[in-house]
Amino acid sequence: MAHPSLHQRLLRDITELQKEPYTHFSTHINDKDLTKFCLILKPDGFRALHLTVEIPPNYPLIAPRVSMQSSVVHPNVFHDYICASILNTEEGWTPAYTLKAICIQLLSFFSGGAIEQDYGGKVDLRDYQAQADYNMRRWGVENKSTKHKCEECGFGKPRPVETSVADQLASLTLYNGGPGANVPHGRAKKTLNLLLKLPAELLLLVVDTLDTKDLLQLAKAFPEVKEALESSDCIRLRELQCFTLKKSFTDAKLGVGVAILHQGKEGTFASEFELLSREAFEKHKIRKSIHGVAFDHWLPLPIHRKHWIAAKPDVNATLEMLSRKATLSKVFPEYVLYHFMNNIVVQFSQDTESVSRKSTLNHASEKAVEAYFALFHLLLCLATENQQIVRDANRMIDGFLGGATSKDKFPNLGLLLVAALISDKGLTKELSFAVIREAVLRNVVWMLDRKGAGLAELAYVEPESSSNYRLDKTFEASTTSYRLLMFLNLFYRTARKSDKLEDLRETMFDNHGAPPPGTAERMAKQIREIREVKNFPTFLTNMGLAAPAKEAFVGFLKRTIADSVTAGYSSEPLTQSQLYAMRCRVEPGVGLAAGVAPSVGAPSSLTMMTVSFFPGRQKSNAPRNGQRWRR
């Protein structure tokens, strides 16, 4: 006996199948036995095919069994067995598939001009169809091997002649007054006009019975319908359901599956942000996303006001558990969200399309933008109900601006900008400048060391105040880091539209946890534009700061070389004379600083293989005569 929630899911799928007829496939379902039904596919260019769909007791946790009864020549059909990944529970199957989706996939399986194979390459179905036609001519169409007769649905048996739709319309027109009367059209037009004049609430009740595809077409044709859909968030509401049990947020606690990736001292959080009910996670042990990305934990989301009341008791305990599992330095609920939101933005700054090959959250997708806002909504709900969270955010920012900027105090600058989202002051220009300065300072060692960009020659502090080489190469050496800051700044400017957190929370409740319409699409475009930023002036403009004079900024970059050593972020394994010789190779006209010996040769490539700019990695090669890097 199937679990009640699984049986309800099956009933939803069958209702969807029976809701309206389909041109290229039909089903015959016996109401007394829902575990087995007939599927008749009518692919273009092929004969009609009869298949049987058998539903297992624990559907949709495992795939249904589909068998072929018609004789067909196909590279993936062996007698009655169909070799298709969508029907393989261990590989391509996902509980997100519905019976309707399976039927459509199978129709495509037999309709396409070519079909991809698991072992690689494609097979042209037209070659197989030609073989089938040859067999039909050779053996005859009456050969029993090419025919199948079904007693259940009547497939293969003579059927009464059906009147075409055109004939039915023609007869209807004659009945209502002859070919010229056009009465049905007039009545339909009058009915439609009355329908469109209904209040938005009643109009939605009428059109809500339509499939999403038809509803979107109707909205495209009639502004009244489009306005009603947008005001009610109707289309999004249809998507807010568990991908396994198909229950909406009004019937179940919904959240997302979360994975913890351990790549360093602290784990990182990842999710496909596909809505999953607590019931599906706990009772039915769903541990993979629609596209097969694994997760081990479940995090509830607010979505709607009533849903938040139901989900709230689970949130803090879940966040504290995630904090412990990820070995975060602070076990605070909001600290998990700081990390999680920052992890999403980090994906935008990476050059790879996504962390996982199967992941649907790539670096510039609208879905990833919506994922960030879903977490921001959860953070807002927590912060507006617990003022200590806001005070902690204020304390973080005040401490950073007060000079406590070390890696020990703030190992991750991205978390600081996420905290600014809920702080009283927000992301001020003072905070932006302080974060940029600290980011440049921390990037010095990665710019110089062979494990990073390997630009050791930039450790030479030239006397000129306008070196293009330093300006350009410093940015190129840490482009990913500066992109991350731009992305965080973009999210802040988009999300923090009000000083009152309560107003932000209520607006997101109205949008069911999503950003305002059009925001995700616009931000995805802006994210792609940020990835094209290649210099400091454009970077500073993106951060909302006026670019200083070139000489002043180059002077700042030169000072960070010595400041990095003072802060303990880097060391000075080579003398300025050695570095000068290295710099001359890439910038021949660079000036000679006071106290630097021009005759000292550059270190050999073999020597550079052992040189490290990280502090404490090796003994310094700097001379003892007081010649040090100058600010």
Side-chain angles (χ1 to χ4, degrees), residues 118 147 170 186 189 245 262 272 315 317 326 377 398 433 459 485 506 620:
D118 290 340
K147 289 290 185 178
K189 185 175 182 180
L245 301 179
H262 290 279
E272 291 300 288
V315 172
H377 189 202
D398 291 341
F433 180 78
L485 294 180
E506 293 307 303
S620 174

Side-chain angles (χ1 to χ4, degrees), residues 413-435:
L413 294 177
L415 304 186
L416 194 69
L417 296 188
V418 176
L421 282 166
I422 58 169
S423 69
D424 290 332
K425 295 180 180 179
L427 183 58
T428 62
K429 289 186 177 181
E430 180 187 10
L431 179 59
S432 294
F433 180 78
V435 169

Side-chain angles (χ1 to χ4, degrees), residues 143-418:
N143 189 296
K144 291 183 179 179
S145 66
T146 65
K147 289 290 185 178
H148 172 72
K149 295 181 180 180
C150 180
E151 297 296 332
E152 186 69 25
C153 68
F155 181 86
K157 294 184 176 183
R159 296 192 178 192
V161 178
E162 296 181 356
T163 307
S164 69
V165 176
D167 292 339
Q168 293 179 44
L169 288 176
S171 63
L172 183 62
T173 304
L174 289 170
Y175 177 80
N176 284 283
N182 201 24
V183 174
H185 176 74
R187 286 181 178 176
K189 185 175 182 180
K190 184 178 179 180
T191 302
L192 181 61
N193 287 335
L194 291 173
L195 180 67
L196 296 176
K197 290 180 181 179
L198 289 173
E201 295 81 2
L202 295 178
L203 178 60
L204 285 172
L205 286 176
V206 174
V207 301
D208 192 47
T209 58
L210 297 175
D211 280 352
T212 300
K213 180 180 178 182
D214 295 334
L215 195 56
L216 290 173
Q217 290 179 342
L218 192 66
K220 187 177 181 180
F222 299 101
E224 297 90 343
V225 177
K226 180 180 179 182
E227 183 179 350
L229 292 182
E230 291 180 349
S231 63
S232 66
D233 210 12
C234 178
I235 299 299
R236 175 167 170 77
L237 287 178
R238 292 187 174 197
E239 299 173 350
L240 297 177
Q241 61 178 7
C242 170
F243 73 77
T244 295
L245 301 179
K246 304 301 180 184
K247 289 185 178 181
S248 75
F249 66 93
T250 59
D251 302 319
K253 292 182 182 179
L254 298 185
V256 293
V258 179
I260 299 177
L261 310 176
H262 290 279
Q263 300 171 337
K265 292 182 180 179
E266 294 183 324
T268 59
F269 302 102
S271 173
E272 291 300 288
F273 282 88
E274 294 159 347
L275 290 178
L276 180 72
S277 65
R278 179 177 179 179
E279 180 183 5
F281 178 80
E282 292 187 349
K283 291 185 178 180
H284 304 300
K285 308 302 179 185
I286 299 300
R287 294 296 185 273
K288 285 187 178 181
S289 72
I290 294 174
H291 292 86
V293 180
F295 54 82
D296 298 304
H297 312 285
W298 180 81
L299 175 67
L301 294 178
I303 300 179
H304 189 262
R305 294 171 182 86
K306 289 184 178 179
H307 185 267
W308 170 239
I309 294 173
K312 183 165 45 175
D314 302 323
V315 172
N316 281 338
T318 301
L319 291 175
E320 288 177 7
M321 178 272 295
L322 290 174
S323 180
R324 290 193 300 271
K325 293 286 185 180
T327 61
L328 300 186
S329 57
K330 297 180 182 178
V331 187
F332 298 135
E334 71 271 20
Y335 205 59
V336 173
L337 297 179
Y338 291 176
H339 275 270
F340 209 156
M341 294 166 73
N342 189 63
N343 293 158
I344 293 175
V345 181
V346 166
Q347 287 186 232
F348 297 137
S349 62
Q350 294 173 340
D351 291 325
T352 53
E353 280 294 316
S354 59
V355 173
S356 168
R357 214 170 29 138
K358 296 179 180 179
S359 176
T360 58
L361 264 73
N362 63 48
H363 67 266
S365 70
E366 295 176 31
K367 184 180 177 182
V369 172
E370 292 176 352
Y372 186 94
F373 274 88
L375 292 176
F376 177 49
H377 189 202
L378 178 55
L379 180 59
L380 283 173
C381 289
L382 293 173
T384 51
E385 296 183 14
N386 183 359
Q387 284 301 306
Q388 186 59 45
I389 293 177
V390 177
R391 288 193 289 270
D392 288 342
N394 291 338
R395 188 158 47 248
M396 283 178 65
I397 292 171
D398 291 341
F400 187 83
L401 292 176
T405 60
S406 68
K407 285 184 179 180
D408 292 336
K409 296 287 185 180
F410 294 97
N412 191 327
L413 294 177
L415 304 186
L416 194 69
L417 296 188
V418 176

Side-chain angles (χ1 to χ4, degrees), residues 429 432 489 493 539-546:
K429 289 186 177 181
S432 294
N489 179 64
R493 288 187 286 108
F539 161 69
L540 293 170
T541 301
N542 266 276
M543 293 297 293
L545 300 173

Side-chain angles (χ1 to χ4, degrees), residues 106-162:
L106 288 171
L107 179 65
S108 174
F109 192 70
F110 290 100
S111 300
I115 185 169
E116 292 187 3
Q117 301 296 321
D118 290 340
Y119 52 78
K122 295 182 179 181
V123 174
D124 194 333
L125 292 183
R126 290 171 295 186
D127 295 339
Y128 278 81
Q129 179 63 24
Q131 180 64 40
D133 293 341
Y134 171 77
N135 290 342
M136 290 288 286
R137 289 194 302 272
R138 181 176 180 181
W139 300 107
V141 293
E142 297 302 324
N143 189 296
K144 291 183 179 179
S145 66
T146 65
K147 289 290 185 178
H148 172 72
K149 295 181 180 180
C150 180
E151 297 296 332
E152 186 69 25
C153 68
F155 181 86
K157 294 184 176 183
R159 296 192 178 192
V161 178
E162 296 181 356

